[in-house]
Amino acid sequence: MTQHAPDDTELERDPVAALLAILDLSSSEARTTEDIFTGASLVMPQGRVFGGQVLAQAITAATRTLGPDRVPHSMHGYFLRPGDSSRNITFSVDRIHDGRSFATRRTQAFQNGLPIFSMIASFEREDPGVDHGAPMPAGIPQPEEVPDLEEHLSGMHPMSRRVLSASPIEVRHVGRPIYLEPADPASPAQAVWVRTRSALPDEPAVHRAVLAFLSDLTIQEPVLRAHGLAWATPGLKVASLDHAMWWHRDARVDDWLLYVQESPSARGGRGLSTGRIYTRDGMLVATVAQEIMVRVPDAAAAMS
């Protein structure tokens, strides 16, 4: 069955419905040693697949090869090639291991016969055990106290405005975003409030997948903030290299979540960011790490 990619009108009319549509992967009865699924992509003006979309689809494909008693607790993935958002993506899932407590799946995403993303994820049957979570930082304003995205879109290129305003995820930066201007003062840290723009189904697997989707949003920015860079910096090139995520506790992604991010290191054209995602009442939901490639025309000036 051919997946239907949501068009521009569908995305603008109901971006969350468009997100749910691309997570509704089709499956194939043909199977050798792997399970095969097919998914469409969200429309992207520049034609490149959003990395968070592939994360969400890959974990969805892997989840569908397991029973409801197994939930993902970690994933580690590599972005191998840019994806084409006008074409379907094929996902192959290798059932590497099924144990009494843990199961492991390898998922690869293909276009034109070439892998664009490769992931290994671990699933567990949850049992009682030790329980603690790092506390949420104090003094963060509530999302209602933070300006919404529309207040920061003035002066932005129409294509960039469209990408941000049509996203299924609402993002509110604590402090000024770096879309057009660098951070002042420079700092390798930021916090953002995030949630879907409308309600999601109650199914926990959907919320886990959408959490993976939004985990790729803004995680690159602490690296840019540390070096006085904005997304509009002429000649700036940024690409995600790898992505790791640990799901700690279930939470609704259609309620506000605080995404606290920092960059501990950048060197050799690569920058690392880590993030922690909390419910607004302070429960730690997930931890994220991503390394990016970052190129600027005059690296020496940007590093000074």
Side-chain angles (χ1 to χ4, degrees):
M1 182 178 74
T2 301
Q3 288 290 97
H4 165 63
D7 60 26
D8 288 4
T9 303
E10 290 175 290
L11 187 61
E12 292 179 357
R13 182 175 63 244
D14 192 341
V16 175
L19 172 58
L20 293 174
I22 60 97
L23 291 179
D24 185 19
L25 305 177
S26 65
S27 59
S28 171
E29 295 299 324
R31 181 180 184 274
T32 54
T33 60
E34 297 177 336
D35 298 86
I36 305 298
F37 302 91
T38 304
S41 290
L42 295 174
V43 175
M44 300 299 288
Q46 294 182 331
R48 294 181 63 166
V49 174
F50 170 54
Q53 173 200 304
V54 183
L55 294 172
Q57 290 174 313
I59 200 65
T60 297
T63 298
R64 286 176 55 176
T65 68
L66 290 151
D69 62 328
R70 299 297 179 103
V71 298
H73 67 88
S74 69
M75 64 79 63
H76 302 264
Y78 285 88
F79 298 100
L80 305 175
R81 295 176 176 84
D84 180 351
S85 64
S86 69
R87 302 178 65 89
N88 285 349
I89 305 174
T90 299
F91 296 88
S92 65
V93 182
D94 187 0
R95 305 186 184 199
I96 295 176
H97 173 71
D98 286 291
R100 289 197 303 174
S101 297
F102 294 91
T104 307
R105 296 292 186 265
R106 177 171 53 232
T107 304
Q108 294 205 93
F110 292 88
Q111 282 189 327
N112 299 320
L114 296 173
I116 65 171
F117 176 73
S118 182
M119 176 194 81
I120 290 184
S122 183
F123 296 74
E124 70 167 339
R125 185 186 65 236
E126 293 189 312
D127 295 315
V130 297
D131 192 335
H132 79 274
M136 185 168 70
I140 301 290
Q142 293 297 305
E144 294 82 7
E145 302 171 315
V146 177
D148 62 26
L149 176 68
E150 281 66 25
E151 296 188 30
H152 299 292
L153 297 184
S154 177
M156 190 176 293
H157 189 280
M159 182 181 295
S160 299
R161 283 205 310 269
R162 188 176 185 184
V163 170
L164 293 170
S165 61
S167 170
I169 308 299
E170 183 176 1
V171 177
R172 296 188 180 186
H173 284 77
V174 177
R176 189 167 185 84
I178 56 169
Y179 299 133
L180 298 175
E181 299 177 352
D184 185 17
S187 171
Q190 70 173 12
V192 295
W193 288 100
V194 289
R195 68 174 179 183
T196 56
R197 294 186 181 274
S198 59
L200 294 174
D202 291 335
E203 185 179 354
V206 171
H207 288 263
R208 296 183 197 113
V210 177
L211 192 67
F213 180 95
L214 68 78
S215 73
D216 192 35
L217 289 169
T218 73
I219 187 65
Q220 307 85 5
E221 291 178 357
V223 178
L224 306 185
R225 285 180 177 272
H227 298 282
L229 299 169
W231 286 110
T233 299
L236 176 69
K237 294 182 179 179
V238 175
S240 300
L241 299 175
D242 62 7
H243 193 93
M245 181 171 178
W246 296 263
W247 291 262
H248 304 311
R249 297 164 183 87
D250 281 342
R252 294 197 67 92
V253 187
D254 48 11
D255 289 338
W256 284 114
L257 299 170
L258 180 68
Y259 200 174
V260 181
Q261 305 163 338
E262 63 178 353
S263 175
S265 178
R267 184 179 182 276
R270 294 173 290 105
L272 176 66
S273 286
T274 62
R276 300 190 306 276
I277 302 176
Y278 294 90
T279 61
R280 66 188 301 170
D281 60 0
M283 182 179 71
L284 180 61
V285 174
T287 301
V288 178
Q290 184 178 105
E291 190 171 48
I292 64 171
M293 180 206 77
V294 54
R295 301 276 194 258
V296 292
D298 188 348
M303 296 289 285
S304 63

